[in-house]
Amino acid sequence: MKVLAISGYKPFELGIFKNDHPSVIYIKAALKKTLIPMIEDGLEWILISGQLGTELWAAEVIFELKSDYPDVKVAVITPFLEQEATWSENNKEWYKSILAQADFVDSVTKKGYEKPWQFRMKNQFFIEKSDALLLFYDQEKEGSPMYIYEMAHQYQNNHPYPIQLITFYDLQVIVEEEQELRRTEF
């Protein structure tokens, strides 16, 4: 696997409204725990669309890992131009800092937002251009990741395409591991 598409919940879908929310630490820890073995097995590119939440947190994790794994790269391919136009100033700054560190930035459609088909087109592009999908998604809690999950699931009917989920159970395990680590440190 050389190219991995990553997506998942947006912050508001998880009740997260600030980047210093404690849950972000555990989400990033789950991403890191999943990504390191993939990188060690030869993963070269992470593909995200720059959506707030899981995708930008994943980019931050990769940027942190670059000191140990300098060859892994981040591509941000947005569904349309200026997707951040309606975002808050804080979110725009966060997004721009990710774009500034990315190895590749482009857009699937070379125009501003028009209709939801641009998101479907982005999902299709991601699935066809990647070797696998890592998705922070739990089928028990619906949300925007459902769309790329269903499309990837259909794609599997005719193509070998692994889908790896990070679920709320996985996050709970990370929380318990972190708490256990803290207990043993004292």
Side-chain angles (χ1 to χ4, degrees):
M1 175 177 43
K2 300 291 183 198
V3 180
L4 176 69
I6 300 179
S7 194
Y9 293 108
K10 296 178 181 108
F12 67 87
E13 293 177 304
L14 301 168
I16 297 174
F17 299 100
K18 290 190 177 185
N19 253 346
D20 60 357
H21 191 283
S23 297
V24 174
I25 294 165
Y26 298 113
I27 294 166
K28 288 171 83 171
L31 288 162
K32 186 175 185 178
K33 182 179 180 180
T34 306
L35 287 167
I36 288 174
M38 292 177 175
I39 294 167
E40 290 176 346
D41 283 344
L43 179 64
E44 296 175 4
W45 281 93
I46 301 296
L47 181 59
I48 63 169
S49 69
Q51 289 180 352
L52 297 172
T54 303
E55 293 187 18
L56 296 189
W57 294 323
E60 289 177 332
V61 167
I62 293 298
F63 299 147
E64 289 168 19
L65 290 173
K66 274 194 178 262
S67 59
D68 293 327
Y69 305 98
D71 295 335
V72 68
K73 295 175 182 66
V74 175
V76 181
I77 302 179
T78 64
F80 45 86
L81 298 175
E82 298 175 7
Q83 75 171 341
E84 77 283 8
T86 61
W87 297 355
S88 72
E89 281 309 308
N90 282 346
N91 286 337
K92 284 180 185 179
E93 285 178 33
W94 180 29
Y95 176 72
K96 287 178 182 169
S97 77
I98 298 296
L99 293 183
Q101 297 174 76
D103 299 283
F104 183 82
V105 178
D106 202 355
S107 182
V108 177
T109 62
K110 310 289 190 229
K111 49 182 140 190
Y113 177 75
E114 291 179 352
K115 301 243 181 216
W117 64 265
Q118 289 167 299
F119 291 107
R120 285 191 299 277
M121 196 168 166
K122 181 268 302 178
N123 288 345
Q124 183 176 350
F125 177 88
F126 270 42
I127 291 165
E128 291 174 359
K129 298 296 182 190
S130 64
D131 302 316
L133 174 65
L134 173 59
L135 194 61
F136 174 25
Y137 177 60
D138 196 312
Q139 292 170 298
E140 307 269 318
K141 179 177 179 9
E142 285 193 3
S144 60
M146 173 183 70
Y147 299 106
I148 194 166
Y149 176 75
E150 288 176 353
M151 188 178 280
H153 205 66
Q154 288 175 340
Y155 188 75
Q156 284 181 322
N157 292 334
N158 300 312
H159 306 86
Y161 189 76
I163 301 170
Q164 181 157 352
L165 298 180
I166 295 174
T167 65
F168 291 114
Y169 175 78
D170 298 320
L171 281 187
Q172 185 59 39
V173 169
I174 296 279
V175 169
E176 291 168 9
E177 287 172 357
E178 293 285 322
Q179 288 172 343
E180 188 60 35
L181 265 175
R182 288 200 187 106
R183 272 196 288 275
T184 58
E185 288 176 354
F186 294 112

